[in-house]
């Protein structure tokens, strides 16, 4: 078979493990593996490299993606879908494996509806894709958040300060929740649950009054205080998939820091974790998960299971319908947030 691969959207640690998994398993069956560069852009423009055992050797240990990534949306590119179809024909592709999140896999799902052979592999540090228990990249990212919070505790404590930490997650607060819980945040604020700045201040003041004279507030970049409505104050810029570019300009973390400083006597600082969260080497979990997903994707291609996505279900890797994975974001269930709240303050 001739199988193409692309990596689209924000990079996530573990992408290279998937690429290596696909290539090593694919070459063992003598399939030809072509890696398209820069996500959908590379498929539209037919820009690719041949993948073989030499150029994927040990890459599972590296973060990022050797195939590069972009947020190119074929719908926004003139004749984008025609470009993809002609690349299929010119390259005589039997299948394209799209490794990406909601946006990249949404395009894959549309191509499947148009009759092109596609398989999806779920990727995102946000962990907000439906139909899979976890996405690769998430584990590394929450470990990065946790390690940073560990560091912020010592400096916040020494200066008796509040530090507000803005964590990625525009529509789903998985990273703030898991990173915040692991890193001992005293308050965690998510996009799923509107928060109240006065309540956050009261909780912090009470903590100081009880003698615990510092505080760490973990806030997802998409969290909203209904009074402040800070979402609208972010940069007006949108990416090719129409998402507001949070984390640029003044963000909700800085806004909340200013509000806490205004409403209390507590000395307050803020930190935006930004792209640090998805940088660096993948965790052991993401290396192994990425490898298993890649190998499964090739097995699915051999069986002709197109229009499907590899998914982690419990401890098994299964094939699920691509359309079940896209369309509805997987947000944090309230019960999980209630568990976290037991440890606030
Ligand atoms: O989708 C992954 C993600 O890291 C989000 O958490 C974040 O909001 C966004 O990408 C940032 O996008 P960019 O890398 O384009 O700034």
């Amino acid at each position: 078979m001739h199988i193409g691969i692309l990596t689209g959207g924000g990079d996530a640690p573990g992408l290279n493990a998937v690429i290596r998994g696909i290539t090593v398993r694919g070459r063992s069956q003598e399939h030809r593996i072509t890696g398209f560069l820069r996500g959908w852009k590379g498929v539209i423009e037919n820009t690719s490299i041949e993948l073989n055992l030499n150029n994927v050797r040990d890459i599972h240990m590296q973060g990022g993606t050797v195939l590069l990534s972009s947020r190119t949306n074929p719908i926004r590119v003139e004749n984008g879908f025609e470009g993809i179809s002609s690349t299929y024909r010119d390259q005589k592709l039997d299948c394209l494996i799209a490794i990406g999140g909601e946006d990249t896999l949404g395009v894959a799902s549309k191509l499947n509806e148009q009759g092109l052979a596609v398989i999806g592999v779920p990727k995102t540090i946000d962990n907000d894709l439906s139909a899979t228990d976890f996405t690769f990249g998430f584990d590394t990212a929450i470990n990065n958040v946790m390690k940073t919070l560990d560091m912020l505790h010592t400096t916040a404590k020494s200066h008796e300060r509040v530090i507000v930490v803005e964590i990625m997650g525009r529509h789903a607060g998985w990273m703030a929740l898991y990173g915040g819980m692991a890193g001992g945040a005293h308050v965690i604020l998510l996009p799923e649950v509107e928060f109240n700045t006065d309540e956050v201040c009261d909780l912090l003041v009470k903590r100081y009054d009880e003698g615990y004279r510092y505080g760490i507030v973990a806030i997802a970049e998409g969290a909203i205080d209904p009074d402040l409505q800070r979402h609208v104050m972010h940069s007006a810029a949108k990416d090719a998939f129409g998402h507001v570019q949070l984390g640029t300009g003044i963000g909700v973390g800085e806004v909340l820091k200013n509000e806490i400083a205004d409403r209390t006597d507590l000395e307050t600082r803020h930190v935006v974790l930004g792209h640090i969260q998805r940088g660096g080497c993948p965790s052991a979990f993401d290396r192994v998960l990425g490898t298993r997903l890649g190998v499964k994707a090739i097995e699915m291609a051999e069986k002709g299971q197109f229009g499907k996505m590899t998914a982690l279900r419990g401890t098994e890797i299964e094939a699920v319908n691509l359309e079940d994975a896209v369309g509805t974001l997987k947000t944090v269930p309230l019960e999980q947030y209630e568990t976290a709240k037991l440890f606030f303050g």
Side-chain angles (χ1 to χ4, degrees):
M1 294 181 82
H2 183 194
I3 294 166
I5 321 178
L6 70 99
T7 57
D11 68 321
L15 276 167
N16 285 328
V18 182
I19 295 167
R20 173 174 170 267
I22 292 171
T23 307
V24 172
R25 172 63 170 76
R27 292 301 302 139
S28 76
Q29 304 302 306
E30 306 208 339
H31 300 312
R32 185 175 158 210
I33 312 291
T34 294
F36 289 95
L37 302 176
R38 304 178 187 88
W40 290 115
K41 185 174 167 53
V43 188
I44 294 168
E45 297 174 358
N46 200 358
T47 319
S48 64
I49 56 168
E50 193 82 19
L51 292 170
N52 55 50
L53 296 186
N54 289 329
N55 55 18
V56 302
R57 194 173 301 280
D58 294 338
I59 62 169
H60 65 301
M61 292 142 74
Q62 299 165 18
T65 164
V66 294
L67 293 179
L68 310 175
S69 192
S70 75
R71 292 195 187 273
T72 301
N73 182 352
I75 295 170
R76 299 274 181 97
V77 176
E78 205 182 340
N79 299 324
F81 279 103
E82 288 80 354
I84 293 173
S85 300
S86 70
T87 298
Y88 259 79
R89 280 195 305 277
D90 295 349
Q91 290 267 10
K92 295 192 174 55
L93 285 179
D94 293 303
C95 171
L96 185 60
I97 300 176
I99 312 167
E102 165 83 3
D103 297 328
T104 305
L105 298 186
V107 173
S109 184
K110 285 202 181 71
L111 292 174
N112 173 58
E113 284 165 18
Q114 293 176 13
L116 295 183
V118 284
I119 287 172
V121 176
K123 164 244 64 163
T124 167
I125 60 164
D126 297 335
N127 195 42
D128 58 2
L129 259 179
S130 295
T132 185
D133 290 352
F134 286 102
T135 51
F136 73 82
F138 175 64
D139 182 68
T140 308
I142 58 172
N143 272 287
N144 288 342
V145 173
M146 180 191 72
K147 283 179 214 154
T148 315
L149 293 193
D150 286 352
M151 290 187 267
L152 291 173
H153 275 275
T154 60
T155 176
K157 198 171 188 174
S158 304
H159 288 268
E160 300 178 285
R161 282 173 177 160
V162 171
I163 300 190
V164 178
V165 189
E166 186 179 302
I167 296 167
M168 280 183 169
R170 290 182 277 212
H171 310 290
W174 293 104
M175 288 175 62
L177 182 74
Y178 277 51
M181 285 176 79
H186 306 116
V187 187
I188 302 172
L189 305 170
L190 312 180
E192 289 87 343
V193 186
E194 286 180 347
F195 70 93
N196 178 290
T197 301
D198 284 330
E199 283 174 17
V200 173
C201 291
D202 290 349
L203 192 141
L204 289 166
V205 168
K206 181 166 176 280
R207 187 176 148 78
Y208 273 67
D209 288 347
E210 287 169 350
Y212 306 105
R213 297 184 55 78
Y214 78 102
I216 303 288
V217 179
I219 183 165
E221 62 183 350
I224 296 181
D225 176 325
D227 293 329
L228 302 177
Q229 286 294 330
R230 293 318 298 186
H231 238 162
V232 291
M233 298 299 287
H234 278 285
S235 156
K238 292 197 176 170
D239 66 23
F241 285 90
H243 302 300
V244 185
Q245 288 182 326
L246 303 184
T248 56
I250 181 168
V252 71
E254 187 171 355
V255 170
L256 181 60
K257 183 265 294 183
N258 290 337
E259 292 295 327
I260 294 170
D262 283 353
R263 298 181 194 199
T264 70
D265 292 332
L266 309 179
E267 192 181 344
T268 309
R269 297 284 188 271
H270 83 282
V271 174
V272 179
L273 293 192
H275 296 84
I276 288 169
Q277 290 160 98
R278 61 185 207 217
C281 298
S283 65
F285 183 85
D286 283 335
R287 292 179 198 195
V288 175
L289 178 59
T291 303
R292 293 179 71 202
L293 292 171
V295 170
K296 177 74 175 182
I298 284 283
E299 290 170 1
M300 284 162 54
E302 287 166 353
K303 289 182 191 152
Q305 292 179 307
F306 305 127
K308 303 268 182 189
M309 181 187 87
T310 60
L312 177 67
R313 297 288 191 97
T315 57
E316 301 304 312
I317 307 293
E318 297 178 2
V320 298
N321 290 330
L322 250 181
E323 62 193 22
D324 293 340
V326 298
T328 313
L329 281 183
K330 185 181 70 182
T331 51
V332 172
L334 206 54
E335 312 86 77
Q336 291 208 34
Y337 189 54
E338 290 300 324
T339 302
K341 278 169 75 176
L342 289 172
F343 302 89
F344 283 10

